[in-house]
Amino acid sequence: MSHNDPPPAAAKKKSPAEEAAEKRREKLTPGSLMKAVIRSGSGDATPADGDQVILHCTTRTMGGIVVNSTRREHGGKGVPLRFVLGRSKMILGFAEGFPTMLKGEIAMFKMEPKIHYAEDDCPVATPDGFPKDDELQFEIEMLDFFKAKVISEDLEIVKKIVDEGKGWETPREPYEVTARITARTADGKDILLSKEVPYFFTLGKSEVPKGLEMGIGSMTRKEKATIYVSSTYLTGSSLMPQLEGLEEVHFEVELVQFTQVRDMLGDGRLIKRRVVDGRGEFPMDCPLHDSLLRVHYKGILLDEPKSVFYDTKIDNDGEPLEFCSGEGLVPEGFEMCVRLMLPGEKSIVTCPPDFAYDKFPRPANVPEGAHVRWEIELLGFEVPKDWTGLNFKEIMEEADKIKNTGNRLFKEGKFELAKAKYEKLLREYNHVHPQDDEEGKIFASSRNSLHLNVAACYQKIGEYRKSIEACNKVLDANPVHVKALYRRGMSYMLGGDFDDAKNDFEKMITVDKSSEPDATAALLKLKQREQEIEKKARKQFKGLFDKKPGEISEVGLESEGAKNAGDAAGSSEAVTSTDRDGSVESSPRAEPDYAFEEERPGIIGRVWPSARRIFSSLGLNRCTIL
């Protein structure tokens, strides 16, 4: 090779299936597979891997005796065979012979035993009484072949697309489908005639055979297709109640329309049903993220269909409702559904009380516990302001608006929503780059307050470890940040890590004398909490040493008194305020005091932190009384 010659192209790596086929092909020897065309086919296309072939097959001995056939005149059932090339298991002679045939062709293949059922490691079972060790003739009529859409991995459901549909969305449970459906057996007998009125059904409710439902689930609007379904998937349904004895059914389907129905909670309580399509592609053009939305809606009490409790076109002087998503300004179920709508879409939403007005300011004419129905039209939405091109001052002003919204949500007790606002800002801050020391100080202070606000949210929802991690993001950069020490200390205390909490509170005093009143109050609270826990533990382990020699004492997880005390602690009221830097402050919320799980001889279950100290003070390392 000359140094000017291009390097040889790298050989394409073969798939395991290709390697296996190539290895099988080595078994072919001259004369082992011979073909004679009895009737020519049409066109010049031949089947390829991924195509489904449909054919009749009659097998004869070399003396002309019929051994096996799909044809009725030779004792068969009249049902053609179906294979998907490259996927179906078949004898070697078929795998090599089918790709040579044209549509409509009839050919005779003479095969030696080693390339039909006597092949070493033959992938298909030999029919009963079959002369597998004889040379045989296979008469094949290639009825049809086409690019197959395999619906089930076992190849029992295969689809042939007749006319392409529109768009990319396909129906799934619990979408409502309108389709024209006809059906015939594999040997051509009509069993479901066409009707002028299309069939309407809901996916997932067994209203059509399972295999047909799976096939329709792969179709787009206006698509026409033939769906081949074997008996395994021919389940009874209101469409076709009697399917016993059928080996295979071919369904001709035109998917007229489907309605997007979403079970938003997965339990059937909050359902969104799209009745008018919107503009754009789902879900790319939906207001999935925080946006300013404009909607018209009508609210109806579900149990009283004529009871309209609000209509923007009447009660709002015809003006739409405008609200920012992610700020808790509308009921949770309402917002969840609107976020999955396209501009111009109209949907009907049925909502349970806990996602409607039982956890949201309730209109006077909506009773407690009411299930509601909203008829919603999304007129449009505006995405949040892009920070690209803004200077540092403008960016921080936009950040303050979002932070203030988070603070409002925190005060309203909507801690998850508040946390989402703070975390969104922290993600945006990854792309903000201060230009000088002054901007750097402002930016660092703002980012620290966001981390501490996230920590406060985690504290409120009982995620103390995550609260500590959020505080550590501040303390890693500034180990003497007083507010971070205080908040981490409170999270340690609420999580039962009293020694770590004490260290943080004491460190506050050493780094900033002005924090001594807050730190002293926190240490007093910590001491009280330790005493409460120790008191509970002593009560819990009371009688531990009243056992007879040789007995093992099992300590209960929680006495009724301890449970009541824990319930009382857990109900303490939280007080919230906002500091000058925009961060939120809150008093610690009491939570259960379990800190760790530990197994010791004779003890089953959880051990209070103070109980461990009691054991140590008594010099005990096991609970077997000798």
Side-chain angles (χ1 to χ4, degrees):
M1 177 187 292
S2 163
H3 67 276
N4 292 322
D5 292 336
K12 183 180 177 182
K13 188 175 181 181
K14 296 177 181 176
S15 68
E18 289 174 328
E19 290 179 353
E22 196 169 277
K23 189 172 182 180
R24 284 188 81 191
R25 203 170 287 120
E26 292 174 358
K27 300 174 184 178
L28 290 169
T29 57
S32 61
L33 174 63
M34 302 182 69
K35 174 186 174 183
V37 176
I38 299 173
R39 185 184 74 192
S40 298
S42 59
D44 55 8
T46 56
D49 274 3
D51 286 356
Q52 174 167 270
V53 294
I54 302 175
L55 54 98
H56 273 301
C57 175
T58 298
T59 307
R60 296 182 176 88
T61 65
M62 296 305 292
I65 299 173
V66 173
V67 175
N68 199 314
S69 182
T70 58
R71 297 183 180 277
R72 283 198 177 91
E73 60 266 32
H74 295 306
K77 297 180 180 179
V79 177
L81 300 175
R82 288 193 297 114
F83 299 96
V84 178
L85 296 186
R87 298 283 297 271
S88 297
K89 295 178 180 179
M90 63 182 78
I91 60 175
L92 178 57
F94 285 176
E96 294 301 310
F98 293 161
T100 69
M101 299 187 70
L102 302 173
K103 190 173 296 187
E105 179 181 325
I106 299 177
M108 184 71 75
F109 291 93
K110 186 178 74 169
M111 303 183 197
E112 292 183 356
K114 64 180 180 180
I115 65 165
H116 58 72
Y117 294 96
E119 177 191 3
D120 294 338
D121 302 319
C122 183
V124 292
T126 307
D128 292 339
F130 200 87
K132 69 173 186 176
D133 295 320
D134 295 346
E135 190 174 50
L136 298 172
Q137 294 176 333
F138 295 83
E139 182 185 301
I140 305 297
E141 180 181 3
M142 183 62 66
L143 300 174
D144 194 11
F145 60 84
F146 51 85
K147 187 61 64 179
K149 169 71 175 177
V150 175
I151 306 300
S152 63
E153 287 299 316
D154 56 9
L155 308 180
E156 298 293 307
I157 311 170
V158 174
K159 183 181 78 170
K160 173 185 179 182
I161 297 176
V162 179
D163 289 330
E164 294 283 353
K166 297 179 179 179
W168 63 270
E169 189 179 6
T170 57
R172 56 182 180 274
E173 297 182 19
Y175 281 26
E176 296 168 347
V177 174
T178 303
R180 290 187 173 88
I181 304 171
T182 61
R184 62 176 57 90
T185 60
D187 58 352
K189 294 179 182 177
D190 290 330
I191 53 176
L192 185 64
L193 299 176
S194 61
K195 298 179 181 179
E196 290 186 9
V197 179
Y199 188 67
F200 175 84
F201 63 97
T202 300
L203 285 177
K205 291 192 174 181
S206 302
E207 296 174 352
V208 299
K210 181 64 176 177
L212 174 59
E213 184 175 85
M214 292 171 65
I216 289 175
S218 71
M219 297 176 69
T220 56
R221 281 185 179 82
K222 306 301 181 183
E223 180 181 326
K224 293 181 181 180
T226 303
I227 301 172
Y228 300 81
V229 182
S230 296
S231 58
T232 308
Y233 295 91
L234 291 174
T235 55
S237 65
S238 55
L239 175 68
M240 302 175 68
Q242 300 297 325
L243 289 169
E244 292 83 359
L246 294 177
E247 292 186 7
E248 182 174 295
V249 174
H250 301 171
F251 294 95
E252 303 287 341
V253 182
E254 178 187 354
L255 185 53
V256 178
Q257 182 58 283
F258 57 81
T259 298
Q260 185 195 72
V261 180
R262 292 194 173 275
D263 185 347
M264 303 296 293
L265 302 175
D267 58 9
R269 297 190 306 132
L270 177 58
I271 300 294
K272 171 186 175 289
R273 179 177 283 102
R274 183 174 62 195
V275 293
V276 175
D277 291 343
R279 302 181 297 275
E281 292 290 336
F282 178 88
M284 291 80 75
D285 297 316
C286 295
L288 298 174
H289 306 291
D290 295 352
S291 305
L292 175 64
L293 302 118
R294 296 184 302 279
V295 302
H296 270 306
Y297 82 94
K298 181 189 292 185
I300 302 169
L301 298 180
L302 198 58
D303 296 334
E304 303 175 46
K306 294 182 180 179
S307 180
V308 177
F309 60 83
Y310 193 84
D311 187 341
T312 53
K313 295 181 179 179
I314 298 173
D315 300 299
N316 201 36
D317 299 323
E319 293 296 319
L321 170 70
E322 288 192 356
F323 68 97
C324 289
S325 57
E327 297 187 4
L329 299 174
V330 296
E332 186 176 357
F334 189 101
E335 181 168 325
M336 287 173 65
C337 293
V338 174
R339 282 183 178 233
L340 292 181
M341 293 177 67
L342 292 166
E345 178 183 330
K346 294 181 181 179
S347 286
I348 294 174
V349 173
T350 55
C351 184
D354 53 326
F355 281 80
Y357 295 104
D358 278 9
K359 294 182 179 179
F360 190 81
R362 193 167 57 252
N365 50 353
V366 176
E368 185 177 356
H371 291 72
V372 300
R373 165 182 164 133
W374 290 301
E375 297 175 3
I376 306 171
E377 178 183 5
L378 176 61
L379 302 176
F381 64 91
E382 296 175 11
V383 296
K385 190 173 183 179
D386 188 356
W387 288 3
T388 304
L390 299 183
N391 60 39
F392 182 78
K393 183 175 182 294
E394 291 169 333
I395 288 174
M396 298 314 293
E397 287 173 353
E398 291 297 318
D400 282 341
K401 292 176 185 177
I402 300 174
K403 186 190 295 183
N404 290 337
T405 299
N407 292 348
R408 174 181 62 78
L409 292 168
F410 188 94
K411 292 175 185 178
E412 293 173 359
K414 299 171 182 175
F415 305 120
E416 289 286 0
L417 288 176
K419 182 168 68 69
K421 291 292 183 185
Y422 302 140
E423 290 176 333
K424 171 184 169 62
L425 268 180
L426 286 168
R427 289 193 297 272
E428 293 292 340
Y429 274 14
N430 290 329
H431 309 291
V432 177
H433 305 289
Q435 299 300 308
D436 54 44
D437 290 344
E438 185 61 29
E439 288 185 358
K441 290 177 183 178
I442 295 171
F443 181 70
S445 176
S446 178
R447 185 167 55 189
N448 286 341
S449 71
L450 287 171
H451 282 306
L452 294 179
N453 286 359
V454 169
C457 292
Y458 275 127
Q459 224 178 67
K460 285 295 187 181
I461 60 180
E463 299 261 3
Y464 304 126
R465 283 294 157 195
K466 290 183 179 179
S467 179
I468 291 166
E469 289 170 6
C471 293
N472 286 341
K473 291 177 181 178
V474 177
L475 291 167
D476 286 345
N478 182 4
V480 294
H481 194 289
V482 173
K483 185 177 287 187
L485 288 169
Y486 177 79
R487 184 145 298 160
R488 187 175 70 174
M490 297 302 291
S491 294
Y492 275 136
M493 182 182 74
L494 291 167
D497 295 327
F498 299 144
D499 291 340
D500 288 331
K502 184 179 179 182
N503 289 338
D504 278 349
F505 295 146
E506 290 177 343
K507 187 173 182 179
M508 287 172 60
I509 300 172
T510 63
V511 299
D512 185 353
K513 282 294 182 182
S514 67
S515 70
E516 186 169 352
D518 289 335
T520 302
L523 286 166
L524 178 60
K525 177 75 174 177
L526 176 63
K527 185 175 181 180
Q528 291 172 343
R529 194 169 181 84
E530 284 188 286
Q531 289 172 346
E532 290 171 3
I533 299 302
E534 187 167 324
K535 184 177 179 181
K536 290 178 186 178
R538 287 188 179 278
K539 185 174 182 179
Q540 184 180 7
F541 292 107
K542 184 178 179 182
L544 182 65
F545 303 105
D546 296 340
K547 298 294 179 180
K548 296 177 181 178
E551 289 186 342
I552 295 178
S553 176
E554 291 188 1
V555 182
L557 286 181
E558 186 176 45
S559 68
E560 191 62 33
K563 180 180 185 300
N564 292 338
D567 291 344
S571 64
S572 62
E573 187 176 348
V575 181
T576 307
S577 62
T578 306
D579 279 0
R580 287 189 299 273
D581 67 353
S583 62
V584 293
E585 280 291 351
S586 63
S587 65
R589 182 180 64 175
E591 293 291 338
D593 299 301
Y594 297 123
F596 62 95
E597 292 189 29
E598 182 173 304
E599 288 188 9
R600 297 186 181 185
I603 293 182
I604 299 174
R606 286 172 170 162
V607 182
W608 298 95
S610 51
R612 180 166 56 179
R613 289 194 290 274
I614 294 171
F615 288 139
S616 298
S617 68
L618 295 173
L620 297 175
N621 57 12
R622 58 186 296 162
C623 295
T624 302
I625 309 305
L626 301 175

